[in-house]
Each structure stands twice: as C-alpha cells, then as structure tokens.
Amino acid sequence: MTHSPRSFPPRLALTLLAMAQLIIALDATIIFVALHEMGVQLQINAQQLQWIVSGYTVAFGGCLLLGGRAADLLGRRRVYRLGMALFAVASLVGGFSNSAWLLIGARAAQGIGAALLFPATLSLINTLYAEGAPRNRALAIWSMASAGGLALGTLLGGVLTQHFGWSSVLLVIVPVAGACALLGGWWLPRDPAPQAGRSFDLAGALTVTVGGSLLVTTLVQGPEWGWAAPRTLACLIVSVLLLAVFVQIEKRSGDPLMQFALLRLRSLRAAMLLTLLFMSSFGVQYYFLALYYQDGYGWSALQAGLAFLPPTLVCTYGIRVAEQMLARRSPRQVLALGMAAGAVGIAAVAVALPHGSTYWALLPGIMVLSIGQGMTWTAMWIVAGQGVPAAQQGVASGMAATAQQIGGALGLAVLVMLANAGRDAQAAGGSAEALQGLVNAQYGAALFALLGVGVALWLRPQQDEAAPATGCANEA
C-alpha cells in the first residue's frame, strides 16, 4: 500500500533518502581500488582508465539541472525510483562488461542515475521536513550517510576486489539500489498531480545538459590535454556557446527549465559559491593526500585507503557538531566556522607533510579539517534550500549541486597546475620537486577554504532567520 503525502513514515522515508546519498558517495570511491585490476583484465589503457572515473563525473555534473527539473515536473518519488532503477541496471551492465567502452558507458549511466537521485533526494528533504530543527536533523543524517559512503567505499572496494574481483564493486550496488527503488513505492509520499501548463523545455534541457557535460569534460581533461591545446579551446568555446544559447532559450520560454529569478536569492547564490569552494578545498583532499601517501611515504594502496578512515569518522562527528550548533546559531556562523576550520586544518596538513612518514604528524590538521568538512557540508545544503518555493526545490538543488561538480573539476584542475608549476615534466612522481608541488597544492586548497569564509559572511544575518516552510512532517 502506498502512503499518502500526509501519512508517509518519516523515519523510513529518511532511510531511503539517506541510502541514496550513501550509494552516490560509495560509487564515487569504491571504484578507485579496483582500477588496477580493471586495467589488467580488460587491457584498458591509461586514458580509458581515467574515463572510468571521469565518465561518472561528467554525466553526473552535466545532467544535474535536468534531474532537478525532472523531479519538479515528473514528481520526486518517481524520479527517485527511476534514478535508483537506473543505478541498479547500470551497475549490473558494468559488472558484466567485457570491454572498456561498455564499462565507461555503464559508469556514465550511473552518473545520470546520480544526477536524477541527488536533486530529487534533496528536494524531498526540503519539502517533507519542516524548516528548522526537523530539516536540520534530516540533513545531518543524510550527510552522515554521505560520509559513511566515502569511508565504506575505500574499505569495501579493497575487500571485494581482493576476494571477488573488480566486477564485485559494481555488482554489490545492484541489490541495494533495486531494493530502494521498490521500497520507494511504500515509504515515500505519493507525488501530487502534475500542474497544468508545465512543460519540460526540451530545447533548454538539451543545451544545458550537452553544454554542462562538455564544460565538465574540458575541466577534467584540461590538465592532460593542455589548456592551450586546440581541442581544449574548441571544447571550451562550444560549451560556453551552448550555455549562452541555453540562457537565451530560458529568457524566451514561457515555462523555463531554470527560473533565473532564483538567482536573486542571495542564499542560493552563496550556496552555489560555497559548494564550488567546498569541492575545491575539502573535496580535493583524497586526490592529493593519496598521491603523497604513496609517492612520498611509500605506503601501499590499502594503507593509503585505511588512512582516510579516521578523517571520515571525524567528519561524521563534525556533522553532529553542526546539527547541535544550528540549534543555537545561524547557518552563516556555522559555515564561517566550518570553512575557517578547513583553511586551518588543510594548511596544518601541508606544513606537516614533508616532516616524516608518520600519520601522527598529520593527525591534528586532519582532525581540524574533517570537523570543518562535516560542519560545512550540512550547513551549505541548508542554505541552498532557504527561501526557495517548494515547486522549484528540485531545480535549486540541481543548481547548487552543479556548482559543486564544476567546483570539483575546476578546483582540481587549478591545483594540479599549481602542483606542476615549475616542475620538470620528466621528474618522477616521488621526486622532491613533485612532492613539494603536492604541498603547494594543499596551500592552494587552504586558500579556497579561506575564500569560503568570506562567502559565508556575505550572507545576510536576517536571511538565516527565514520563515519556516510548510513541511509534511515535523520529525525525522
């Protein structure tokens, strides 16, 4: 029996919403440990191997606005179930792939599933749970699921790959995503009837999806292709032109894909900047620290993976800290403190990296930045939903999440350039020159976090006291 919007089980619904975020985070990290075996067994070259990771990122980042629009128009429960079903099917196809391109295609399909799931899940939280303590608690639990997925991905990926082969890291997702798709029919509230006169804005959807995907592709590939290379410049120009066409289509549309009036909300603009800076500071830590652990300290892949378990647990504690602080302080204050902790912690790690191969020297900085990461993650999504009408929560979530994905690609590209600045192209990864470049990149990430403090303070204090939105549930 399907529950009506007023009788859905809030705790069971939140379980499904948290599982969506756990799967998205898990899929982003579980693949890394299996890449080596994929390359050997499928005879995948380095370029194709990168696209097993990048294919997911590009599809996810390019389709988020489309996913947000679909959630608002087709219904959030429908899009949640569709995203989960697509995730399950794509994981099944990927697990039985016998060629590089079939595997890359399956990873891209997973990215599309994530692009449907993320805005649908976030907009469900922002409409089902009343603004204030109920919504803050729901977002905190959702955030903990994300942290859990990141930690579980690195550990589960190693165990599954070692005992069951690379395909198991994809196949393990199939029953979980399939069960969530089925249970969504019972545990999530029924979608309201579609509003008359609403259209999908196909032209806008196509231009923003292709333009956004091409932009993320260019940012991902730019460091390898070279920023002045003809194909980099061509892709960048085409993506900008497509996004410019999208803007013109939206201005003339009677029912646009994206309401540009939403950008008048300072809270949403700030949230978009914060998600971008979050990924450019906190989000790049896995990349640079994993390289330093293995190239600088000589750790194995398993040792490097285990080194990320403590910061993930501390990040979960930071999410709890944010939930408690938000009961007494505004999101503006929590965000400023979280970003400041990130700047201090990342800088402390950068200082400690060259001084020996012991984890203890890094631990103080890692603890500070991880607490800041948990605080920032929860608060920035609270800000993203403030003042947004319920009918546009999906698109607003997609806008903030798109900025997050672009921030991850752009921030990594900028910091990789910083790491390689002045470095001999022939220098080995473990050379003193290369390792100093990784330290320099960490200082750059700390600067991005410091910019986030300024963005948080840019929020108007009175916006933190927005009138509570009508919610369907008063408890998580």
Side-chain angles (χ1 to χ4, degrees), residues 101-383:
W101 294 113
L102 183 58
L103 181 55
I104 291 169
R107 287 285 292 164
Q110 285 183 321
I112 296 172
L116 295 173
L117 272 177
F118 192 92
T121 300
L122 193 56
S123 58
L124 275 166
I125 289 176
N126 286 335
T127 52
L128 297 181
Y129 301 93
E131 189 168 319
R135 186 182 300 175
N136 293 351
R137 183 163 186 266
L139 282 167
I141 293 171
W142 177 79
S143 300
M144 288 179 192
S146 179
L150 292 175
L152 187 61
T154 55
L155 295 177
L156 191 60
V159 172
L160 288 175
T161 302
Q162 182 172 336
H163 293 287
F164 302 103
W166 67 263
S167 61
S168 61
V169 303
L170 294 164
L171 295 176
V172 72
I173 297 174
V174 176
V176 181
C180 289
L182 290 173
L183 291 172
W186 283 273
W187 292 358
L188 295 178
R190 184 181 299 136
D191 293 317
Q195 296 182 22
R198 301 294 303 276
S199 67
F200 206 82
D201 186 15
L202 184 59
L206 286 173
T207 51
V208 75
T209 300
V210 176
S213 298
L214 191 57
L215 177 60
V216 177
T217 301
T218 307
L219 295 174
V220 168
Q221 291 293 111
E224 180 176 339
W225 289 348
W227 291 105
R231 56 179 167 176
T232 303
L233 296 175
C235 288
L236 187 60
I237 291 170
V238 172
S239 66
V240 170
L241 287 175
L242 284 171
L243 293 174
V245 170
F246 166 70
V247 172
Q248 294 304 314
I249 290 172
E250 298 306 282
K251 287 181 177 178
R252 290 172 169 78
S253 175
D255 188 22
L257 173 70
M258 189 176 84
Q259 295 282 353
F260 287 108
L262 287 174
L263 292 174
R264 296 174 188 165
L265 291 170
R266 181 179 288 203
S267 56
L268 181 57
R269 297 201 307 272
M272 292 173 69
L273 286 172
L274 285 164
T275 58
L276 188 150
L277 291 169
F278 177 92
M279 291 301 293
S280 300
S281 52
F282 297 105
V284 299
Q285 295 304 302
Y286 272 85
Y287 181 86
F288 290 109
L289 290 180
L291 285 177
Y292 205 103
Y293 290 158
Q294 295 177 79
D295 292 342
Y297 296 165
W299 293 356
S300 68
L302 180 58
Q303 286 175 311
L306 289 172
F308 288 109
L309 183 58
T312 306
L313 297 175
V314 177
C315 178
T316 303
Y317 173 70
I319 292 167
R320 294 290 297 174
V321 169
E323 182 187 0
Q324 294 168 3
M325 287 187 66
L326 286 164
R328 306 185 305 274
R329 299 182 182 276
S330 68
R332 175 177 182 261
Q333 294 171 309
V334 176
L335 282 166
L337 288 171
M339 279 293 190
V344 171
I346 294 169
V349 170
V351 170
L353 277 173
H355 299 291
S357 59
T358 64
Y359 194 64
W360 296 108
L362 306 177
L363 205 53
I366 285 175
M367 291 185 67
V368 173
L369 80 86
S370 299
I371 290 173
Q373 181 177 355
M375 292 171 63
T376 305
W377 176 262
T378 302
M380 72 185 185
W381 293 114
I382 290 173
V383 170

Side-chain angles (χ1 to χ4, degrees), residues 66-86 112-113 115-121 124 188 191 200:
L66 182 63
R69 175 67 162 186
D72 288 340
L73 280 187
L74 303 179
R76 287 150 192 155
R77 185 179 75 167
R78 291 189 190 95
V79 173
Y80 174 94
R81 299 183 72 191
L82 176 62
M84 278 294 187
L86 181 56
I112 296 172
L116 295 173
L117 272 177
F118 192 92
T121 300
L124 275 166
L188 295 178
D191 293 317
F200 206 82

